[in-house]
Amino acid sequence: KNTNKLKNKLFGIECNFEELNGIDFKKGCYIGQENTARIKLKNKLSKRLLPIKLVDGKLSEDEKIYNNEVEIGKVLINEDYPFALIKFLDKNFDRKQIFKGKNGSFKIFIPEWLKIWLLLQSGNEKKFKISYFRKCKYDVEAQWTDTS
């Protein structure tokens, strides 16, 4: 609905398109291809578009997000389905924290499919298989449910 607010602000790789099989690194000739390939090949992806879960109050578009007085992101979409561009690898980012803005507080929400992908990409496949599957149960509707 508010995706026009993202136009010309992000690369597809920052929008998690790679994990959704929306980027083909073997095919050429698309807008942002060279930058996207460079980010991927040099392992320079440091920001991701992530949903925000409003705890209370209101969010402002382009509001900067701080933790320990260090900027770790910015709100890009503030209404209906809010999203922020987050420096998810920054040592000051804590996904469990409640962040306070000018007029409200919110949490950064990392979808399950992205958590799994990030863990697998970090080289912790063994840790993933042991710890994550012990904490989760597979329900009949083919969805993972966190039991921790």
Side-chain angles (χ1 to χ4, degrees), residues 5 7 11 18 24 41 70 79 93-94 113 116 132:
K5 292 181 179 185
K7 197 172 185 179
F11 292 107
E18 179 183 8
D24 186 347
L41 293 173
V70 175
E79 44 197 45
F93 173 63
D94 177 6
W113 58 266
I116 292 168
Y132 192 79

Side-chain angles (χ1 to χ4, degrees), residues 24-112:
D24 186 347
F25 290 99
K26 295 176 183 150
K27 181 181 178 184
C29 298
Y30 56 87
I31 296 173
Q33 174 209 4
E34 290 178 7
N35 291 325
T36 299
R38 195 174 303 116
I39 290 169
K40 168 78 172 171
L41 293 173
K42 293 189 176 198
N43 203 19
K44 296 289 184 183
L45 182 61
S46 62
K47 300 178 285 187
R48 286 190 178 269
L49 186 67
L50 298 171
I52 297 172
K53 207 177 223 178
L54 194 61
V55 175
D56 65 34
K58 258 183 119 171
L59 295 173
S60 303
E61 190 174 325
D62 293 326
E63 183 174 341
K64 291 182 177 16
I65 300 169
Y66 292 92
N67 192 23
N68 300 327
E69 298 181 28
V70 175
E71 183 182 338
I72 59 158
K74 182 164 92 171
V75 175
L76 297 181
I77 297 177
N78 62 325
E79 44 197 45
D80 293 334
Y81 304 101
F83 278 85
L85 187 62
I86 303 294
K87 296 176 186 174
F88 72 102
L89 293 178
D90 192 294
K91 65 181 180 186
N92 292 293
F93 173 63
D94 177 6
R95 69 177 180 86
K96 296 177 182 176
Q97 181 175 341
I98 293 179
F99 297 92
K100 297 198 183 294
K102 293 177 192 170
N103 300 313
S105 56
F106 55 92
K107 287 187 80 163
I108 307 296
F109 176 73
I110 301 177
E112 282 301 311

